[in-house]
Amino acid sequence: MARKATNDLLQQAKKSKSDEFYTQLCDIERELQYYPNCFSGKVVYCNCDDPRVSNFFRFFKDNFHRLGLRKLIASFYKEQSYDLFETHTNERPYYCEYDGSDEKMTTEYFRGDGDFRSKECVNLLLQSDIVVTNPPFSLFREFVSQLVRYDKQFLIIGNINAITYKEIFKLIQENKAWLGVNLGRGISGFIVPNHYQQYGTEVSVNQDGQTIIATNGCLWLTNLELQQRHDDILLTKEYYGNETAYPNYDNCNGINVDRTQDIPKDYAGLMGVPITFLHKYNPEQFEIVKFRKGDDGKDLSINGKCPYFRILIRNRRILINYSVPFLNVRERIMNTITK
């Protein structure tokens, strides 16, 4: 119940536009280890980050030379609350540039408020190659849209429900974005202001006196190259002979699969899988056909009841492999396709 409660807190924050969820250094280090060759010679922009307190800025500054960065930029919005740190109040927003030298970092005050959508911040975005940050959950769609519009690489944290947004799902379907390595409990928690409502056993206080709220509802979204996304999902289940375990949809010629690990290896038609499938999705192994809706435009249903959101996929390996030497297997595949 505590984990559910803290996930509900994220939803409440989104609705109230209370976006003060700060990423822990340990979670940044845990994810960034999977992109060792993506940053060499690049300008990284953390555009939702006060360099005095941001763990994103701290990570890239501390690892500037190891990663081979060309420049690091950070900027923040003026109304960002500092209750968490109890300092730096009533100051003008600014941006900071660091080039890896031992000299003092360059700082410049904004004329405006430092909003990532402002002209000043867009100018900084145009100078950058990769954006890495924890954007406001309430503005996630708009944030990603801006990155796509300016053709930027990115690695950002968002609520797991973001993949159900049509704009985000389309990017994943078109292989223009994908999930990072860690999600759910792989992201240990966020630093929040002390005035935030706290729930149950998933709330703790770290050695610095900061309040940490753990959730099971966040992920990394990226378009940086990631080797893991080219690994096939190991399929061990079979459809034929176990048809009752895979009920047909009322409004779509496809079968329902409740868990990614239960995807059958011998079925060539449409399969509805949970959204967590995207964490293991290899675009060379599967094709994403549609999200959530059946042929009638309504939510996928089984005996009149709608399961939780499903993604309709098709196994590319079976569609390609028509040289199967066993006639009965080939006939089954062809019958499934033409059914």
Side-chain angles (χ1 to χ4, degrees):
M1 290 297 294
R3 177 66 71 164
K4 180 181 183 299
T6 50
N7 192 40
D8 288 343
L9 180 60
L10 289 179
Q11 297 301 321
Q12 293 170 15
K14 180 177 181 295
K15 292 177 181 178
S16 66
K17 294 184 172 24
S18 183
D19 290 312
E20 297 173 73
F21 288 82
Y22 303 95
T23 311
Q24 295 186 88
L25 182 62
C26 62
D27 287 321
I28 295 170
E29 293 173 334
R30 187 179 296 122
E31 182 69 23
L32 267 291
Q33 66 179 310
Y34 295 103
Y35 310 85
N37 303 315
C38 293
F39 295 94
S40 180
K42 300 297 180 65
V43 176
V44 171
Y45 184 21
C46 305
N47 56 352
C48 299
D49 300 83
D50 183 338
R52 293 168 295 191
V53 296
S54 166
N55 283 319
F56 283 103
F57 185 81
R58 174 183 173 185
F59 173 84
F60 284 110
K61 184 176 183 293
D62 290 348
N63 294 277
F64 191 96
H65 298 291
R66 180 179 66 82
L67 295 172
L69 298 184
R70 181 157 57 92
K71 185 192 292 186
L72 172 61
I73 308 173
S75 65
F76 67 100
Y77 180 58
K78 73 172 181 179
E79 292 186 2
Q80 181 180 9
S81 171
Y82 297 102
D83 290 349
L84 178 60
F85 305 98
E86 298 179 355
T87 187
H88 311 314
T89 57
N90 300 318
E91 293 187 7
R92 292 170 56 195
Y94 66 92
Y95 68 92
C96 176
E97 295 185 337
Y98 178 67
D99 63 5
S101 68
D102 294 330
E103 298 179 3
K104 187 177 180 179
M105 294 178 291
T106 301
T107 59
E108 295 285 344
Y109 285 103
F110 285 122
R111 294 181 179 178
D113 58 10
D115 189 302
F116 71 86
R117 298 163 293 187
S118 68
K119 183 177 180 180
E120 290 176 300
C121 287
V122 169
N123 286 337
L124 293 174
L125 179 65
L126 293 174
Q127 301 173 36
S128 70
D129 301 299
I130 306 174
V131 171
V132 185
T133 192
N134 177 356
F137 286 176
S138 65
L139 298 173
F140 195 80
R141 284 185 177 94
E142 193 168 356
F143 190 87
V144 174
S145 175
Q146 183 189 76
L147 296 176
V148 172
R149 183 164 64 253
Y150 290 104
D151 194 25
K152 296 301 177 181
Q153 291 185 293
F154 58 87
L155 176 63
I156 57 177
I157 288 183
N159 190 296
I160 196 168
N161 287 326
I163 59 181
T164 68
Y165 303 160
K166 63 180 181 180
E167 304 91 340
I168 307 300
F169 182 80
K170 183 179 179 182
L171 292 175
I172 297 173
Q173 184 178 21
E174 295 177 351
N175 203 27
K176 295 179 180 178
W178 41 89
L179 272 61
V181 174
N182 294 293
L183 86 166
R185 289 184 180 270
I187 299 174
S188 60
F190 296 92
I191 306 168
V192 299
N194 292 327
H195 67 264
Y196 268 42
Q197 188 174 1
Q198 299 175 14
Y199 298 90
T201 59
E202 298 295 342
V203 177
S204 62
V205 178
N206 66 14
Q207 61 184 8
D208 297 320
Q210 298 169 332
T211 301
I212 309 296
I213 290 185
T215 76
N216 193 29
C218 289
L219 52 72
W220 292 89
L221 184 72
T222 187
N223 59 2
L224 295 176
E225 185 50 50
L226 185 63
Q227 179 56 46
Q228 282 80 353
R229 78 187 192 94
H230 299 291
D231 296 336
D232 275 9
I233 299 172
L234 179 62
L235 306 179
T236 61
K237 304 291 185 179
E238 294 183 352
Y239 171 76
Y240 295 101
N242 301 285
E243 289 87 348
T244 57
Y246 301 98
N248 291 296
Y249 290 115
D250 302 330
N251 52 347
C252 174
N253 186 15
I255 61 172
N256 182 69
V257 182
D258 283 326
R259 302 184 301 174
T260 298
Q261 65 200 62
D262 293 334
I263 295 174
K265 61 184 178 181
D266 59 343
Y267 191 79
L270 293 178
M271 298 174 282
V273 296
I275 61 175
T276 50
F277 158 83
L278 294 177
H279 187 223
K280 302 293 183 181
Y281 168 54
N282 175 358
E284 295 143 19
Q285 182 184 19
F286 289 100
E287 173 193 4
I288 295 176
V289 178
K290 190 189 295 186
F291 176 59
R292 187 175 174 179
K293 303 296 184 181
D295 297 335
D296 56 1
K298 298 180 180 180
D299 285 352
L300 293 166
S301 64
I302 303 170
N303 297 324
K305 296 182 179 180
C306 300
Y308 193 66
F309 297 158
R310 290 290 185 262
I311 299 169
L312 288 172
I313 64 169
R314 185 181 285 117
N315 192 326
R316 294 184 187 273
R317 304 291 192 215
I318 294 179
L319 291 175
I320 294 173
N321 187 15
Y322 288 126
S323 59
V324 178
F326 302 101
L327 180 61
N328 62 329
V329 174
R330 180 173 179 175
E331 287 176 343
R332 287 175 177 177
I333 294 174
M334 293 304 296
N335 288 337
T336 302
I337 295 173
T338 58
K339 183 177 178 181

